């Protein structure tokens, strides 16, 4: 029922009718010959071969339709060990080994992040998981990187700066790139025989890469770092904030590895179901402005490294069936919220809600997914100011807080903090102090964050003493709304990794300097003055 | 353990903690703060200019009661005059009791009250009759769809009768949060593109509407009504359990338990959604029958009533609204050129 414009479904208390079971005589709906083995969606029975073709086709079509991955490009596959990312890695593996006509043409690598310290696992358990992970990585054969989450403590602040890249190449550039690649292949392959020998110079032999993985990655991380990480995560009060922090740190780490090894794209295995849940969760977390980046096909907020989600049309059910039918190896790693009760975090709540609603109204996930396709990557009011708009320190999206616009939910929250509004005791008392309360309220409106980088208000409250007194407030000012709410659950921002604190300090100082020099600097926008 | 003193006046004993900030306040200071915030919302959004005649949609429930009370107190300051407009949907056993509460309020506050009834406006169709008409097809009755659209028309009509220039309703932050959740779950991109603002400015002859309570959470509204000892009607509509909104409401309750600021976070998200231009509904014109705001030939109220009168109540519910075209005979698939667009009348 839940879809607008469709006939309303059964009323809530009644059970939904059981799904029609395929009878023995029913054949696969695609080829109409073979016996069906799996039922997808509402009663479409597929045989093994057709299901595989359907699944692979979806993956390839998603990549092909968006034309973001150029031939010969280095792509990092973010593998968590879970079913969706395992399926994605498997698809890439199969796609690369096909005949030259349909072969995928990029250069993959795999990254696995060991998050055991954040989840409170012992070193023995982590070693056991790594022992399970290694054989799979070796079997896959791509260059692999196993990084422990503790390495965030050795990151540099440059991770938080998005390097402005030339904008996404238009259609012609893509076609030109493909043409030149094909020509190159033709030239190279003219002497040699058919098969995977084509373009060997460009696709490095996977086996040769293995010894290159520096042995330092296989060493367990320093105990001090593990201690610091678990201290950080234990200090977070709520599971919601923990999950968000984990995602943020993981994203930074993957970004760092991608940049360090020259990968220009990162592929994550988020499935349709997970993305629908993520969309609703982010809505509840206050990240409505960034939904298109968080759940869309491509996420270019970092500039040089683009995050791509090729599995976004596969439902979890299809992934599970595929993995089972075609024996895709995966590793179970406990996460921060494993075995947590449903009420523990917003992520859990939303997941339970959507999955429950899905049983009643089977079109829930696909409806949410289709709505997410209609979201665009633009700020709500007017054209983007491009690279100059200040970015959130943690999630690197353009800030979505308008301190000036007090008639918004954010304005209400910030202006009501010092809500010591001294009105006369009851409103019915319409005596002389009629003007003052209104005046009081109106002068209070432009509160303005003190360290708003590039913001118009240079009240000088960042000067010397106040700046040093409250570094926490200065960090919070540089965050978007969603990250601010998360940071409220951290009693102190000290345990955060050094690169975050350092970058925050740097931005604060830069903003202060800008504010000081505002009168002297000539900016491009001063055209109307006409001093030429 | 003795209660802490009020953090605002430091004189009286604190009687409550504000849900939003955890601040301990006494009853009087809380009420003043609440009223000040409503005033701030109205002023910052320039919702009600001086000299406005404001029709308050009064249902007898806690939101409209609190709204009427606060606006009545703020009226001299804002320079507006108030009119109460109550809508009688004809739901037996529920609406009569609620209307009694409204009448008591109107008498106590000395505000003029106008009651508009569905029966008079819509040719004898009360909500009970609609429910009977749509029942029995094996599907849900979708009473809330009818009621919402028709109430909007009725409120507009009542406001016009008293010569109002603005309409205010008592929707609070929880309602807004539930709405955005609901719209996402149902894929209603039209409403998503339209909603999340400060009400509508009133295009094409419709009166401007706004929601002064939209940043006040439900708990605070209830607290205010408690401390001001307001008399309101607190039962749920008999058709409410069938509504889809119940799912969204349930989810919101749980979200609020996990994170107290969830309601305002959702409202913030809703304000900042960026939808593709194609998701927006077309610019509205006028209904060919009643002249009200409509983005198709018939406004939704007329379309729904049409369906009811023809004995096919589901006619106007569904994609494309087949069969509504006056040239097509009832029963034919209808005009294929009609593209499926979201419902015309913004309920909000």
């Amino acid at each position: 029922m839940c879809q607008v414009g469709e006939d309303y479904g059964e009323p809530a208390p009644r059970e939904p009718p059981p799904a029609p079971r395929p009878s023995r005589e029913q054949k696969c709906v695609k080829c109409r010959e073979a016996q069906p083995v799996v039922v997808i969606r509402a009663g479409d029975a597929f045989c093994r071969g057709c299901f595989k073709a359907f699944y692979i086709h979806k993956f390839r079509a998603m990549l092909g339709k968006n034309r973001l991955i150029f031939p010969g490009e280095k792509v990092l596959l973010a593998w968590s060990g879970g079913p969706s990312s395992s399926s994605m890695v498997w698809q890439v593996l199969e796609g690369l080994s096909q005949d030259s006509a349909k072969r995928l043409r990029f250069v993959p690598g795999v990254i696995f992040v060991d998050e055991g310290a954040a989840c409170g696992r012992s070193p023995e358990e982590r070693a056991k998981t790594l022992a399970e992970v290694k054989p799979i990585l070796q079997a896959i054969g791509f260059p692999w990187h196993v990084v422990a989450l503790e390495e965030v403590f050795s990151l540099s602040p440059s991770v938080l700066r998005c390097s402005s890249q030339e904008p996404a190449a238009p259609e012609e550039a893509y076609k030109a790139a493909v043409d030149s690649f094909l020509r190159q292949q033709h030239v190279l392959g003219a002497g040699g025989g058919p098969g995977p020998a084509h373009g060997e110079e460009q696709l490095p032999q996977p086996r040769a890469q293995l010894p290159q993985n520096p042995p330092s990655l296989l060493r367990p991380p320093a105990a001090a770092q593990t201690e610091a990480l678990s201290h950080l995560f234990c200090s977070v009060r709520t599971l919601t904030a923990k999950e968000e922090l984990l995602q943020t740190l993981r994203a930074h780490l993957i970004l760092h590895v991608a940049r360090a090894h020259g990968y220009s794209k990162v592929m994550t295995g988020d499935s349709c179901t997970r993305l629908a849940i993520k969309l609703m969760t982010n809505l509840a977390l206050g990240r409505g402005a960034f939904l298109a980046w968080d759940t869309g096909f491509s996420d270019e907020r970092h500039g040089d490294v683009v995050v791509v989600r090729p599995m976004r049309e596969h439902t979890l059910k299809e992934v599970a069936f595929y993995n089972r039918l075609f024996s895709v190896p995966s590793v179970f790693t406990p996460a921060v919220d494993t075995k947590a009760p449903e009420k523990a975090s917003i992520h859990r709540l939303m997941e339970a809600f959507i999955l429950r609603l899905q049983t009643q109204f089977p079109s829930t996930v696909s409806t949410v997914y289709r709505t997410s396709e209609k979201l665009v990557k633009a700020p709500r009011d007017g054209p983007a100011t491009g690279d100059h708009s200040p970015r959130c320190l943690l999630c690197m999206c353009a800030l979505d807080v308008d301190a000036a616009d007090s008639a918004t939910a954010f304005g209400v929250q910030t202006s009501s903090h010092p809500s010591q509004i001294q009105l006369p005791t009851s409103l019915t008392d319409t005596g002389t102090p009629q003007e003052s309360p209104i005046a009081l309220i109106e002068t209070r409106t432009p509160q303005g964050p003190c360290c708003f980088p590039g913001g118009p208000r240079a009240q000088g409250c960042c000067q010397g003493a106040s700046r040093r007194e409250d570094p926490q407030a200065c960090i919070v000012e540089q965050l978007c709304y969603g990250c601010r709410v998360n940071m409220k659950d951290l009693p102190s921002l000290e345990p955060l990794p050094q690169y975050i604190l350092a970058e925050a300090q740097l931005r604060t100082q830069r903003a202060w300097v800008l504010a000081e020099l505002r009168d002297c600097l000539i900016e491009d926008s001063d055209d109307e003055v006409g001093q030429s | 353990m003795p209660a802490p003193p009020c953090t605002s006046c430091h004189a009286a004993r604190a009687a409550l903690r504000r849900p939003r900030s955890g601040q301990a306040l006494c009853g009087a200071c809380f009420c003043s703060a609440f009223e000040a915030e409503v005033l701030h919302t109205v002023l910052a959004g320039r919702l009600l200019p001086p000299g406005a005649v404001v029709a308050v949609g009064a249902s007898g429930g806690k939101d409209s009661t609190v709204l009427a009370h606060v606006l009545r107190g703020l009226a001299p300051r804002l320079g507006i005059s108030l009119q109460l407009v109550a809508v009688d949907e004809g739901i037996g056993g529920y609406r009569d009791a609620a209307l009694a509460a409204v009448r008591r309020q109107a008498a106590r506050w000395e505000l003029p009250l106008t009651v508009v009834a569905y029966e008079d406006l819509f040719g004898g169709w009360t909500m009970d009759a609609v429910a009977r008409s749509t029942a029995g097809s094996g599907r849900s009755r979708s009473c809330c769809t009818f009621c919402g659209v028709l109430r909007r028309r009725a409120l507009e009509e009542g406001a016009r009768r008293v010569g109002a220039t603005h309409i205010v309703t008592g929707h609070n932050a929880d309602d807004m949060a539930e709405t955005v959740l609901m719209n996402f779950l149902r894929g209603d991109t039209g409403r998503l593109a339209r909603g999340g603002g400060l009400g509508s400015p009133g295009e094409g002859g419709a009166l401007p509407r706004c929601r002064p309570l939209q940043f006040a959470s439900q708990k605070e509204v209830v607290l205010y009504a408690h401390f001001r000892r307001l008399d309101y009607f607190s039962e749920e509509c008999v058709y409410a359990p069938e509504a889809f909104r119940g799912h969204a409401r349930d989810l919101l309750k749980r979200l609020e338990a996990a994170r107290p600021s969830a309601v305002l976070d959702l409202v913030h998200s809703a304000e900042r959604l960026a939808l593709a231009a194609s998701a927006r509904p077309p610019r509205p014109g006028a209904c060919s029958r009643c002249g009200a705001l409509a983005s198709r030939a018939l406004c939704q109220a007329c379309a729904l009533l049409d369906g009811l009168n023809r004995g096919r109540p589901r006619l106007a519910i569904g994609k494309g609204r087949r069969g509504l075209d006056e040239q097509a005979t009832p029963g034919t698939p209808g005009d294929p050129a009609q593209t499926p667009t979201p419902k015309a009348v913004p309920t909000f």
Side-chain angles (χ1 to χ4, degrees):
Chain A
M1 162 223 147
C2 72
Q3 215 182 344
V4 159
E6 272 194 2
D7 285 334
Y8 284 63
E10 305 286 334
R14 247 190 275 169
E15 275 174 19
R21 294 174 153 274
S23 58
R24 260 179 220 287
E25 295 78 26
Q26 193 174 348
K27 296 290 180 194
C28 164
V29 299
K30 275 290 258 323
C31 60
R32 298 186 202 281
E33 292 171 351
Q35 276 292 99
V37 296
V38 66
V39 177
I40 299 293
R41 293 191 290 246
D44 289 344
F46 283 85
C47 68
R48 202 182 152 100
C50 291
F51 175 59
K52 181 164 185 164
F54 160 79
Y55 192 87
I56 294 180
H57 169 76
K58 253 203 212 180
F59 184 80
R60 307 298 293 271
M62 180 55 82
L63 285 180
K65 164 170 80 170
N66 284 289
R67 300 200 171 205
L68 272 184
I69 308 215
F70 281 46
E73 207 173 359
K74 287 184 78 173
V75 176
L76 187 60
L77 308 175
W79 181 57
S80 66
S84 305
S85 51
S86 301
S87 198
M88 175 184 75
V89 170
W90 210 251
Q91 293 291 303
V92 171
L93 186 62
E94 297 211 332
L96 280 174
S97 60
Q98 279 180 356
D99 346 313
S100 55
K102 288 197 188 163
R103 189 154 44 123
L104 288 177
R105 295 188 187 121
F106 54 84
V107 180
V110 183
I111 180 172
F112 175 82
V113 178
D114 174 18
E115 297 164 1
C119 309
R121 304 183 77 208
S122 68
E124 295 81 31
E125 292 173 336
R126 293 172 67 180
K128 195 155 84 82
T129 307
L130 280 179
E132 286 176 43
V133 161
K134 295 267 171 56
I136 301 182
L137 285 174
Q138 279 160 353
I140 291 173
F142 302 149
W144 48 268
H145 311 266
V146 171
V147 272
L149 193 62
E150 285 88 331
E151 302 204 14
V152 290
F153 286 103
S154 32
L155 287 181
S156 90
S158 60
V159 158
L160 296 175
R161 292 175 210 143
C162 56
S163 37
S164 54
Q165 183 76 352
E166 55 268 22
E171 280 288 309
E172 304 84 48
Y174 181 81
K175 284 198 186 125
V178 174
D179 287 340
S180 74
F181 180 82
L182 286 174
R183 250 179 283 124
Q184 247 176 350
Q185 275 212 327
H186 187 73
V187 163
L188 287 168
H198 276 213
E200 241 182 62
E201 280 83 332
Q202 295 194 304
L203 293 167
Q205 286 287 13
R207 312 249 164 243
Q209 283 278 334
L210 262 169
Q212 280 183 26
N213 281 312
S216 64
L217 286 173
L218 304 174
R219 248 201 339 253
Q225 288 187 331
T226 310
E227 179 66 38
L229 193 67
S230 58
H231 172 65
L232 169 64
F233 274 90
C234 288
S235 74
V236 181
R237 283 191 279 239
T238 61
L239 187 58
T240 309
K242 253 190 232 192
E243 288 207 42
E244 287 292 299
L245 183 64
L246 182 61
Q247 278 179 25
T248 307
L249 292 179
R250 186 200 302 146
H252 291 170
L253 191 57
I254 293 181
L255 177 65
H256 167 77
V257 170
R259 278 187 181 153
H261 295 266
Y263 291 98
S264 50
K265 298 269 187 318
V266 174
M267 272 197 196
T268 60
D270 296 307
S271 60
C272 184
T273 315
R274 287 275 165 235
L275 281 178
I277 295 172
K278 186 171 186 180
L279 184 137
M280 300 298 294
T281 306
N282 282 5
L283 208 56
L285 291 171
R287 294 181 59 86
F290 315 129
L291 289 178
W293 284 277
D294 290 339
T295 58
F297 174 71
S298 69
D299 180 357
E300 317 92 0
R301 66 180 94 164
H302 303 292
D304 51 347
V305 176
V306 179
V307 179
V308 161
R309 300 182 179 102
M311 301 288 289
R312 70 189 291 260
E313 271 189 14
H314 300 254
T315 61
L316 262 182
K317 188 173 170 185
E318 291 165 14
V319 169
F321 277 136
Y322 184 88
N323 286 4
R324 167 116 180 133
L325 286 176
F326 299 101
S327 316
V328 173
S330 63
V331 176
F332 171 69
T333 44
V336 195
D337 65 343
T338 302
K339 286 198 184 173
E342 188 186 296
K343 295 193 194 103
S345 73
I346 297 211
H347 304 73
R348 280 299 237 196
L349 272 174
M350 205 49 97
E351 180 184 0
F353 176 78
I354 296 235
L355 294 177
R356 204 168 33 226
L357 205 62
Q358 173 83 1
T359 58
Q360 258 185 321
F361 306 114
S363 57
T364 305
V365 167
S366 57
T367 305
V368 176
Y369 171 72
R370 267 188 290 112
T371 311
S372 81
E373 289 191 312
K374 302 217 175 79
L375 296 165
V376 293
K377 294 172 184 164
R380 194 180 171 94
D381 349 306
T385 47
D387 294 326
H388 306 295
S389 57
R391 300 248 170 171
C392 173
L393 185 66
L394 289 178
C395 67
M396 283 172 270
C397 293
L399 285 182
D400 64 338
V401 288
D402 304 326
D405 189 7
S406 51
T408 60
F410 176 70
V412 164
Q413 287 203 321
T414 48
S415 68
S416 66
H417 277 160
S419 74
Q420 312 302 332
I421 306 165
Q422 300 300 334
L423 277 192
T425 43
S426 84
L427 276 184
T428 52
D429 168 23
T430 56
T432 34
Q434 234 183 28
E435 306 305 305
S436 44
I438 301 183
L440 212 98
I441 291 163
E442 284 183 324
T443 50
R444 260 195 322 113
T445 38
Q447 280 258 320
C450 60
C451 317
F452 201 86
R457 272 170 294 283
Q459 288 157 351
C461 56
C462 282
Q463 285 162 10
S466 65
R467 183 179 7 141
R468 271 163 225 131
E469 266 166 25
D470 204 356
Q472 179 135 349
C474 278
I475 295 183
V476 166
E477 303 292 359
Q478 296 172 29
L479 300 176
C480 66
Y481 184 93
C483 294
R484 283 188 204 204
V485 181
N486 284 333
M487 287 299 121
K488 278 203 199 130
D489 288 336
L490 260 74
S492 146
L493 295 181
E494 296 293 315
L496 281 177
Q498 196 50 36
Y499 72 99
I500 296 179
L501 301 172
E503 178 70 13
Q505 181 92 352
L506 187 65
R507 289 191 193 183
T508 312
Q509 282 175 343
R510 199 181 293 151
W512 183 73
V513 165
L514 260 181
E516 287 281 299
L517 299 178
R518 183 158 294 279
D519 304 327
C520 312
L521 289 175
I522 301 174
E523 284 167 11
D524 294 330
S525 56
D526 288 338
D527 284 336
E528 68 270 13
V529 180
Q531 304 257 353
S532 54
Chain B
M1 177 166 109
C6 168
T7 46
S8 173
C9 63
H10 304 287
R13 172 186 153 278
L16 64 109
R17 273 191 196 282
R18 282 200 85 166
R20 184 189 304 163
S21 51
Q23 209 183 6
L25 291 173
C26 67
C29 291
F30 168 69
C31 292
S32 311
F34 187 87
E35 285 153 6
E37 279 158 22
V38 174
L39 179 64
H40 177 68
T41 304
V42 171
L43 288 177
R46 282 185 269 275
L47 300 176
L48 303 173
V53 178
V54 176
V56 179
S59 62
K62 60 175 176 8
D63 296 322
S64 52
T65 305
V66 164
L67 176 69
H69 183 265
V70 170
L71 280 184
R72 182 174 161 268
L74 293 175
R77 209 150 300 191
L78 292 170
I80 57 176
S81 67
L82 292 180
Q83 293 269 352
L84 288 180
V85 176
V87 175
D88 176 9
E89 304 102 342
I91 301 176
Y94 164 72
R95 191 40 82 194
D96 335 327
L99 281 180
V102 180
R103 290 204 171 90
R104 284 198 300 273
Q105 289 163 6
R108 189 176 316 129
W109 294 329
E110 291 155 10
L111 288 174
L113 169 66
T114 314
V115 180
V116 278
Y118 279 12
E119 211 168 359
D120 306 325
L121 283 179
F122 303 128
W125 282 104
T126 61
M127 273 317 296
D128 288 338
V130 171
R132 276 193 297 272
S133 158
T134 55
S137 54
R139 300 201 205 102
S140 79
R141 293 189 284 189
S142 44
C143 297
C144 297
T145 305
F146 285 90
C147 190
V149 174
L150 295 179
R151 184 178 333 112
R152 169 80 174 65
R153 282 291 294 125
L155 204 55
E156 186 98 16
E157 181 59 36
R160 257 180 231 292
R161 278 190 199 169
V162 299
T165 56
H166 291 76
I167 299 181
V168 296
T169 47
H171 293 105
N172 56 38
D174 290 49
D175 292 327
M176 312 282 289
E178 282 165 22
T179 301
V180 72
L181 283 174
M182 215 171 73
N183 285 343
F184 256 102
L185 290 171
R186 288 159 43 107
D188 197 342
T189 45
R191 285 210 174 89
L192 280 174
R194 234 190 337 241
L198 290 169
S200 72
E203 13 179 36
L207 291 175
R209 294 172 294 136
C210 65
R211 307 174 283 256
L213 292 183
Q214 71 180 16
F215 296 124
S217 70
Q218 187 155 293
K219 281 195 181 137
E220 302 208 325
V221 170
V222 174
L223 276 171
Y224 183 88
H226 168 77
F227 278 104
R228 288 284 194 224
R229 295 192 188 75
L230 298 177
D231 157 40
Y232 59 88
F233 180 71
S234 55
E235 278 177 33
E236 202 182 42
C237 173
V238 296
Y239 299 119
E242 298 166 24
F244 187 76
R245 190 173 275 264
H247 293 283
R249 188 163 288 171
D250 180 51
L251 175 63
L252 189 66
K253 285 278 157 290
R254 293 174 199 229
L255 286 176
E256 212 175 349
R259 180 175 271 199
S261 63
V263 174
L264 275 181
D265 296 342
L266 272 167
V267 175
H268 178 87
S269 287
E271 283 166 355
R272 291 202 163 53
L273 284 177
L275 282 154
S278 57
R280 270 172 222 279
R283 290 224 53 85
C287 170
S288 53
R289 251 187 235 176
C290 63
L293 201 64
S295 50
R296 278 174 276 194
L298 279 185
C299 71
Q300 187 70 352
C302 289
L304 287 176
L305 287 170
D306 216 23
L308 284 172
N309 287 328
R310 285 203 216 172
R312 299 176 55 205
R314 307 206 141 262
L315 208 54
I317 301 177
K319 277 201 175 124
R321 292 162 68 186
R322 294 179 275 270
L324 268 182
D325 204 354
E326 250 122 341
Q327 287 89 21
T329 54
T332 58
D335 190 2
Q338 258 187 355
T339 47
T341 45
K343 297 196 178 61
V345 176
T347 34
F348 73 81

